[in-house]
Amino acid sequence: MKEVFAIGFSLSKTWSYQAKKEGIDRAGSFDAFFEKAQSELSKSIDSKTSENQLQKLRKHDGWMWIYGDSNYPAILKQIPNPPLLIYGQGRPQLDQENLLALIGTRQPTPYGKRIAQLLAKDLVREGLILVSGLARGIDSIAHKVSGIGDSKLL
């Protein structure tokens, strides 16, 4: 139930990002926020969409970190606008030394697509964890390559 609420809360357009983050920060943890706000806020959350998202995540051996949980990466709490949810596949470990975001245009040329795919495969083969924002173009190519085999994806 907590995960469904977290997904629905993060997707909700009722509150701004800042209001969501401040609510969790004031409560001290996501668990405390969830306990206080669950009954009141659940009415404005699309639980069906959230449950579908969670099923898809589990189907693909996925996991998520929730802002305000104890397992949320400390390094991300230090950035100005940390993501409220982070989805991943594989083992949910963050090796801060081996993270890399492969970014580029949303409309790559065929050559750019081919090079991005080769580069992403090489980086994954060397043990790097590719960080993806799920954008179109180069980012989505890196995301697809990272989801192959035993590689990790964040």
Side-chain angles (χ1 to χ4, degrees), residues 21-74:
K21 182 180 177 300
E22 286 175 9
I24 296 168
D25 287 341
R26 270 188 260 127
S29 71
F30 186 80
D31 286 332
F33 176 77
F34 176 65
E35 289 300 317
K36 290 178 184 176
Q38 176 187 6
S39 60
E40 183 180 324
L41 299 181
S42 290
K43 298 171 191 145
S44 56
I45 288 175
D46 183 353
S47 59
K48 185 172 181 150
T49 298
S50 302
E51 287 170 6
N52 287 341
Q53 288 253 20
L54 186 59
Q55 284 178 347
K56 287 178 187 176
L57 185 66
R58 289 183 174 154
K59 178 182 174 184
H60 296 288
D61 190 31
W63 49 266
M64 69 178 164
W65 286 324
I66 303 169
Y67 177 78
D69 270 358
S70 60
N71 65 345
Y72 191 88

Side-chain angles (χ1 to χ4, degrees), residues 110-122:
Y111 174 76
K113 290 178 184 178
R114 192 170 62 253
I115 294 301
Q117 191 172 34
L118 291 170
L119 181 59
K121 283 181 182 178
D122 286 346

